[in-house]
């Protein structure tokens, strides 16, 4: 039987087992919306702004490791989605974003709501397609899901002109797909794996530095097994938190600009660095010239272009983290050789000395609410088991430092692009994927206003998100840089004319709370967490002058941290 | 170092802009670029000339390979290879002496005169880029009206080949 393009679209999503679609309608996608209306397998979530549709899909994807799916209309619908698409590109989030396009016959005519979506998104997608014939639609969608979810994941945009959604053809969904121009490597090269294992076992001052790739590769168990087998210290990037249990004694904290003293010092003094699914980002390396001066480096990454991009490595291994780690474990277990215990013991002693600096200390006796205290309490009350999304700024760093993540896929934030506005929509996508779990959005009073309209979406779909706003009446992260590097000239970093967030939450149909003293923090959090079926917006009035420590200033080496 | 990179890619609209976009987005330089379909009409062959340190060239080839439309590529400069570029150059020729000299030079450079008017000659020339540069140089006392160069293309010598 012949189906319309719109019907084919819906069937394809069903074939891909898509249960949730984030979108916003408009002229060019009306046939598709009509086809969605006539089925009930794919649930469409109506956001209030297309940027939020993409962030919500990211939350869904990051918390499940399944692709997030988005549908927007042509023109402004597509351009509104661009920030989210760029965000997903930077953090390697598997997404398939469908955009409507003006009818084929009008393309290039400056038609109503026409933009060159394929052109605009090209630099921030893994790949994109313009469908020119309804006969290509199903195959293109199959390719889109395949490309988005394999290799190094990323966003794929499929632009569909309106006439294609009305045209008809036989529907057949391809069972599998092969593309001669796209063959991501899965398994690491056995010779390289042996070389890596040799180097790893010869280390005297090793550090395992793992990142988001471990989570994307579902490799948390293998990583934990390998780390325990070796008894080596491990540090995670911001994107890799939760891949190794942070409560474990071998975990030395996050590394990088706002990482722990012990993690950064260990990196600086390491003789062998084992980089796993991490991309040597400048927030991690600091000054490249001064980065890990003594280390020989093993790097496991599925994307060859990530390897030796910023830092030249000695043993590159291209492959999926999980399969490479399993091969390494097998190789080590098969042999007699184990790390030399004596230097390792000394290394641990040294690390414990760095640890004893207690670099994350803060004033616990303050009259004002310390943001760190809010997050520690949140961790305790949720037993570290909540899904936590965040926005961008100081509150993001404190969450990374103080909400010890023990499991992967629970920490959902925007690392590469650092997109303010990410937190709330990401929480929406996360909560939709995990209806019965606790989902918390940690945010700042500036970030939350970038996608605040999504409080309305949360109401519509009964999403009992707990918003923890750390309200310091500043763009704190900006203010901190101005304090440190611009002699306290706080240009435009003060948030004036703030709304009353309690009333605002209530106006959106939710519960609002304002918490102004440290003594009320725990009670408020408990009360909010107990409201299982309501979104609660907690406005914590925190210490305005608090800074994120430690900090590696831009251009400095990892051993040149500013401590409190 | 100057590198000549040959790329086989899907002959699809937009594929070329992915390559060009990659170079501008990542700040790589592109000296010349030629593209045309191959004997297999689903494939285009693109040849580009770029310059960079070994590390930059390594990133360029990796990033090119990462483009989903790129099927295969070869850095010709890593192999024995032949490089060719075509040039059409229009010169003002005012008298018999000048006409004779252009003809003589064209012959030395194994070029052809392919268009003649009362006051102009068009010379067609192929060779590597240096040779074309040398010809333009040797015509410096003429008035050069137009120079059209195809950009470099190349092929590896012997058994090495860029094919599927
Ligand atoms: C305000 C702010 C401050 C920040 N401060 C810090 C900081 O102090 N410390 C810090 O670490 N970050 C910090 N970041 C984040 C930083 O910008 C980068 O996003 C982050 O460091 C990158 O993490 P990653 O190296 O784990 O790479 P990701 O972006 O997670 O990339 C994953 C890597 O793994 C590879 N990969 C993906 N899938 C697989 C697979 N299946 N198999 C193998 N490999 C795979 C990819 O190719 C890629 O190389 C900060 C961000 C912001 C906004
Ligand atoms: C969309 C966007 N615009 C600007 C920035 C730059 N920026 C980074 S953090 C920050 C301030 C965030 O303030 P707030 O949300 O209150 O968080 P705080 O740092 O105070 O915890 C700004 C403006 C950004 N990351 N994203
Ligand atoms: Mg703030």
């Amino acid at each position: 039987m012949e189906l319309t393009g719109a019907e084919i679209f819906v069937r394809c999503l069903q074939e891909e087992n898509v249960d949730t679609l984030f979108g916003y309608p408009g002229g060019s996608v009306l046939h598709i919306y009509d086809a969605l209306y006539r089925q009930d397998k794919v649930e469409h979530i109506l956001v209030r702004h297309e940027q939020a549709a993409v962030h919500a899909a990211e939350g869904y994807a990051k918390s499940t490791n399944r692709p997030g799916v988005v549908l927007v209309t042509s023109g402004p619908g597509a351009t509104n989605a661009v920030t989210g698409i760029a965000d997903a590109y930077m953090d390697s989030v598997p997404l398939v974003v469908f955009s409507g396009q003006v009818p084929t016959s009008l393309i290039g005519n400056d038609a109503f709501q026409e933009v060159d979506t394929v052109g605009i998104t090209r630099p921030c997608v893994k790949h994109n397609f313009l469908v020119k014939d309804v006969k290509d639609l199903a195959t293109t969608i199959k390719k889109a899901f395949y490309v988005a979810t394999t290799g190094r994941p990323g966003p794929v945009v499929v632009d569909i002109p309106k006439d294609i959604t009305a045209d008809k053809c036989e529907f057949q969904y391809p069972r599998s797909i092969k593309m001669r121009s796209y063959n991501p490597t899965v398994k690491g090269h056995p010779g390289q794996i042996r070389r890596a294992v040799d180097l790893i076992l010869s280390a005297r001052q090793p550090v395992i530095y793992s990142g988001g790739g471990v989570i994307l590769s579902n490799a948390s168990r293998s990583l934990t097994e390998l780390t325990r087998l070796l008894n080596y210290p491990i540090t995670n990037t911001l994107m890799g938190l939760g891949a190794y249990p942070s409560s474990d004694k071998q975990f030395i904290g996050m590394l990088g600009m706002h990482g722990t003293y012990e993690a950064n010092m260990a990196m600086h003094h390491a003789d062998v660095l084992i980089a796993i699914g991490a991309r040597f980002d400048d927030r991690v390396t600091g000054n490249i010239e001064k980065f890990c001066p003594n280390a020989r480096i093993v790097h496991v990454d599925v994307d060859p272009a990530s390897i030796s991009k910023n830092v030249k490595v000695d043993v590159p291994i291209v492959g999926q983290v999980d399969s490479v780690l399993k091969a390494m474990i097998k190789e080590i277990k098969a042999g007699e050789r184990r790390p030399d215990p004596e230097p390792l013991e000394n290394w641990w002693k040294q690390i414990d000395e760095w640890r004893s600096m207690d670099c994350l200390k803060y004033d616990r006796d303050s009259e004002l609410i310390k943001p760190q205290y809010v997050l520690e309490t949140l961790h305790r009350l949720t037993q570290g088991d909540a899904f936590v999304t965040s926005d961008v700024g100081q509150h993001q760093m404190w969450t990374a430092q103080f909400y010890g993540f023990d499991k992967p896929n629970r920490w959902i934030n925007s690392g590469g692009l650092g997109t303010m506005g990410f937190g709330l929509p990401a929480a929406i996508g996360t909560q939709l994927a995990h209806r019965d779990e606790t989902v918390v959005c940690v945010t700042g009073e500036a970030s939350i206003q970038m996608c605040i309209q999504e409080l309305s979406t949360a109401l519509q779909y009964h999403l009992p998100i707990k918003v923890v706003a750390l309200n310091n009446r500043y763009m704190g992260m900006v203010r901190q840089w101005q304090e440190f590097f611009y002699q306290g000239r706080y240009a435009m970093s003060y948030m004036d004319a703030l709304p009353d967030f309690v009333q605002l939450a209530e106006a959106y149909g939710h519960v609002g709370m304002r918490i102004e003293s440290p003594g009320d923090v725990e009670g408020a959090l408990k009360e909010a967490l107990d409201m299982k079926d309501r979104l609660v917006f907690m406005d914590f009035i925190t210490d305005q002058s608090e800074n994120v420590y430690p900090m590696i200033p831009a251009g400095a080496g990892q051993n040149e941290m500013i401590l409190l | 170092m100057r590198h000549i990179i040959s790329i086989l890619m899907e002959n699809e609209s937009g594929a070329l802009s992915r390559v060009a976009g990659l170079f501008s987005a990542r700040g790589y330089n592109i000296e010349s670029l030629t593209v045309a379909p191959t004997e297999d009409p689903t494939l285009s062959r693109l040849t580009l000339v770029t310059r960079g340190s070994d590390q930059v060239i390594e990133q360029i080839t990796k990033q090119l390979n990462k483009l989903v439309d790129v099927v295969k590529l070869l850095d010709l400069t890593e192999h024995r290879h032949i490089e060719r570029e075509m040039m059409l150059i229009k010169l003002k020729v005012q008298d018999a002496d000048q006409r004779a000299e252009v003809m003589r030079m064209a012959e030395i450079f194994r070029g052809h005169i392919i268009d003649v008017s009362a006051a102009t000659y068009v010379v067609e020339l192929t060779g590597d880029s240096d040779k074309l540069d040398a010809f333009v140089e040797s015509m410096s006392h003429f008035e050069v009206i137009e120079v059209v160069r195809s950009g470099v293309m190349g092929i590896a010598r012997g058994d090495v080949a860029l094919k599927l």
Side-chain angles (χ1 to χ4, degrees):
Chain A
M1 199 182 80
E2 295 210 317
L3 300 182
T4 65
E7 289 161 347
I8 290 174
F9 171 89
V10 171
R11 287 284 297 276
C12 290
L13 295 199
Q14 293 170 353
E15 292 284 339
E16 289 290 337
N17 297 316
V18 174
D19 52 19
T20 313
L21 171 64
F22 301 91
Y24 206 92
S28 68
V29 285
L30 282 178
H31 296 321
I32 293 181
Y33 271 86
D34 191 51
L36 283 166
Y37 187 83
R38 290 183 277 116
Q39 57 88 50
D40 56 9
K41 287 204 181 110
V42 181
E43 186 187 9
H44 180 280
I45 303 299
L46 178 69
V47 294
R48 301 299 184 263
H49 185 298
E50 289 88 350
Q51 178 188 351
V54 187
H55 292 326
E58 288 184 274
Y60 180 97
K62 286 189 179 205
S63 67
T64 59
N65 273 5
R66 297 176 52 203
V69 188
V70 176
L71 172 62
V72 298
T73 193
S74 67
T79 54
N80 270 351
V82 171
T83 300
I85 295 169
D87 189 88
Y89 182 65
M90 292 295 277
D91 285 347
S92 306
V93 187
L95 294 188
V96 180
V97 179
F98 296 97
S99 51
Q101 184 53 278
V102 301
T104 325
S105 57
L106 293 183
I107 288 180
N109 286 12
D110 301 323
F112 177 63
Q113 296 195 326
E114 175 180 6
V115 294
D116 174 9
T117 302
V118 165
I120 287 176
T121 59
R122 187 180 303 120
C124 59
V125 292
K126 183 169 173 188
H127 196 57
N128 57 20
F129 299 93
L130 171 65
V131 182
K132 288 184 191 146
D133 187 329
V134 69
K135 292 196 204 73
D136 299 335
L137 184 59
T139 323
T140 306
I141 294 177
K142 179 83 189 175
K143 281 185 189 168
F145 278 91
Y146 173 60
V147 171
T149 54
T150 51
R152 178 180 185 165
V156 175
V157 167
V158 183
D159 200 25
I160 311 177
K162 186 168 185 179
D163 52 323
I164 305 288
T165 62
D167 289 351
K168 287 185 167 181
C169 78
E170 284 293 330
F171 171 67
Q172 203 185 13
Y173 201 60
R175 246 196 232 131
S176 66
I177 202 95
K178 245 183 104 65
M179 295 166 73
R180 62 180 173 185
S181 61
Y182 176 73
N183 297 293
T185 314
V186 178
K187 286 210 170 84
H189 188 279
Q192 287 297 85
I193 289 174
R194 267 196 301 277
R195 280 183 58 207
V197 165
D198 265 358
L199 181 58
I200 291 169
L201 292 176
S202 73
R204 301 170 68 86
Q205 305 192 153
V207 176
I208 299 174
Y209 145 54
S210 80
V214 176
I215 291 169
L216 292 163
S217 183
N218 272 319
S220 180
R221 285 179 115 182
S222 308
L223 176 72
T224 309
E225 187 181 346
L226 178 72
T227 308
R228 298 232 165 105
L229 182 65
L230 294 165
N231 189 30
Y232 286 177
I234 178 167
T235 175
N236 288 166
T237 67
L238 181 72
M239 305 315 286
L241 292 173
Y244 189 86
S246 67
S247 55
D248 188 85
K249 62 183 189 318
Q250 280 172 253
F251 186 66
I252 58 173
M254 180 171 83
L255 80 167
M257 182 172 274
H258 291 299
T260 65
Y261 182 68
E262 50 272 31
N264 286 319
M265 290 300 275
M267 290 289 287
H268 185 76
H269 291 90
D271 69 340
V272 173
L273 181 63
I274 306 149
I276 306 172
R279 58 184 174 83
F280 296 83
D281 183 78
D282 52 80
R283 299 275 117 160
V284 163
T285 59
N287 187 337
I288 285 274
E289 307 286 310
K290 302 180 184 170
F291 177 72
C292 291
N294 312 315
R296 280 177 298 160
I297 305 177
V298 174
H299 188 189
V300 183
D301 204 295
V302 75
D303 178 5
S306 266
I307 293 177
S308 294
K309 180 172 67 178
N310 301 333
V311 173
K312 186 105 190 100
V313 307
D314 302 272
V315 187
I317 303 175
V318 178
Q320 284 282 343
V321 167
D322 198 48
S323 91
V324 172
L325 293 187
K326 285 193 168 118
M328 284 182 172
I329 292 166
K330 208 168 147 201
E331 179 82 19
I332 295 172
K333 283 186 170 166
E336 305 280 273
R337 195 166 160 209
R338 292 292 175 269
D340 192 349
E342 207 182 290
L344 192 56
E345 204 172 298
N346 292 334
W347 181 225
W348 271 117
K349 263 190 209 138
Q350 171 65 73
I351 288 172
D352 285 338
E353 223 166 89
W354 288 325
R355 249 184 195 159
S356 67
M357 294 277 299
D358 193 13
C359 68
L360 297 180
K361 61 180 172 279
Y362 65 91
D363 176 8
R364 287 172 191 274
D365 306 317
S366 171
E367 307 269 281
L368 301 172
I369 298 179
K370 291 288 181 178
Q372 300 95 324
Y373 171 67
V374 176
L375 294 163
E376 269 181 355
T377 311
L378 177 69
H379 175 267
R380 184 157 43 80
L381 297 178
T382 54
Q383 282 112 41
D385 223 21
F387 287 81
V388 181
T389 74
S390 98
D391 266 303
V392 173
Q394 291 182 316
H395 61 274
Q396 176 186 22
M397 293 299 109
W398 286 316
T399 314
Q401 294 174 335
F402 289 90
Y403 192 91
F405 291 91
D406 279 342
K407 294 181 188 162
N409 304 95
R410 305 244 155 177
W411 167 230
I412 290 137
N413 82 134
S414 163
L417 199 66
T419 310
M420 290 169 70
F422 174 87
L424 179 59
I428 288 175
T430 304
Q431 185 82 74
L432 280 161
H434 306 273
R435 285 275 186 178
D436 301 324
E437 306 272 352
T438 303
V439 177
V440 180
C441 165
V442 180
T443 184
E445 78 296 333
S447 291
I448 191 68
Q449 293 191 72
M450 289 220 178
C451 276
I452 190 110
Q453 75 285 348
E454 298 309 314
L455 286 174
S456 171
T457 309
L459 184 74
Q460 181 171 349
Y461 298 99
H462 312 290
L463 305 175
I465 296 160
K466 305 296 175 274
V467 179
V468 171
L470 299 175
N471 184 346
N472 52 9
R473 284 84 69 216
Y474 271 115
M475 296 174 197
M477 185 57 90
V478 175
R479 188 200 54 73
Q480 175 167 346
W481 281 61
Q482 290 168 335
E483 178 185 331
F484 287 9
F485 311 118
Y486 296 87
Q487 290 80 46
R489 292 186 296 278
Y490 297 139
M492 294 295 138
S493 55
Y494 185 73
M495 291 303 286
D496 224 342
L498 283 172
D500 178 330
F501 287 111
V502 173
Q503 283 186 31
L504 186 66
E506 285 167 358
Y508 272 108
H510 301 301
V511 180
M513 294 180 177
R514 179 167 303 111
I515 304 96
E516 292 177 280
S517 97
D520 297 334
V521 168
E522 177 159 351
L525 278 169
K526 266 194 186 137
E527 191 187 334
L529 289 164
D530 281 342
M531 282 189 241
K532 297 285 179 208
D533 54 355
R534 297 297 296 276
L535 184 150
V536 184
F537 192 115
M538 288 160 270
D539 186 18
F540 289 95
I541 308 303
T542 60
D543 183 351
Q544 279 196 290
S545 63
E546 190 62 23
N547 288 322
V548 182
Y549 292 105
M551 176 172 188
I552 303 177
Q558 291 171 306
N559 58 339
E560 301 167 317
M561 306 197 79
I562 306 177
L563 294 165
L564 179 62
Chain B
M1 256 274 281
R2 174 176 181 268
H3 287 251
I4 305 173
I5 300 174
S6 274
I7 304 168
L8 284 181
M9 58 187 197
E10 298 292 352
N11 187 9
E12 275 174 24
S13 69
L16 177 60
S17 53
R18 289 182 210 280
V19 173
L22 173 74
F23 275 72
S24 63
R26 295 192 179 264
Y28 306 140
N29 82 38
I30 216 168
E31 259 173 34
S32 82
L33 184 151
T34 70
V35 60
T38 64
E39 78 285 4
D40 170 354
T42 67
L43 283 175
S44 291
R45 182 162 174 144
L46 185 150
T47 311
L48 59 85
V49 177
T50 182
R51 270 173 210 279
S53 64
D54 288 354
Q55 207 200 334
V56 168
I57 298 295
E58 182 183 328
Q59 261 302 306
I60 290 177
T61 52
K62 283 175 168 177
Q63 293 291 350
L64 284 168
N65 263 317
K66 194 167 147 179
L67 293 176
V68 169
D69 283 337
V70 168
V71 185
K72 215 171 171 184
L73 65 78
L74 184 68
D75 183 346
L76 286 175
T77 8
E78 286 181 353
H79 304 272
R80 292 189 307 122
H81 67 279
I82 300 156
E83 169 186 343
R84 285 289 180 273
E85 189 176 356
M86 181 190 266
M87 175 166 73
L88 304 177
I89 177 168
K90 187 179 284 179
L91 299 156
K92 191 153 223 168
V93 280
Q94 263 133 346
D95 53 34
D97 282 355
Q98 287 195 338
R99 274 193 266 275
E101 184 177 351
V102 171
M103 269 159 74
R104 195 168 51 82
M105 290 304 283
E107 199 169 316
I108 293 171
F109 280 84
R110 296 178 203 281
H112 306 282
I113 291 169
I114 57 170
D115 184 64
V116 174
S117 78
T120 64
Y121 269 4
V122 175
V123 182
E124 173 197 312
L125 205 65
T126 55
D128 61 21
S129 306
D130 286 348
K131 173 176 158 186
L132 305 191
D133 291 343
F135 185 79
V136 176
E137 181 84 358
S138 69
M139 291 289 110
S140 57
H141 52 289
F142 283 83
E143 189 182 329
V144 175
I145 300 169
E146 262 185 280
V147 175
V148 189
R149 294 173 70 146
S150 64
V152 172
M153 53 181 201
I155 196 163
R157 288 183 186 274
D159 292 338
V160 179
L162 176 62
K163 64 193 281 276
L164 291 196

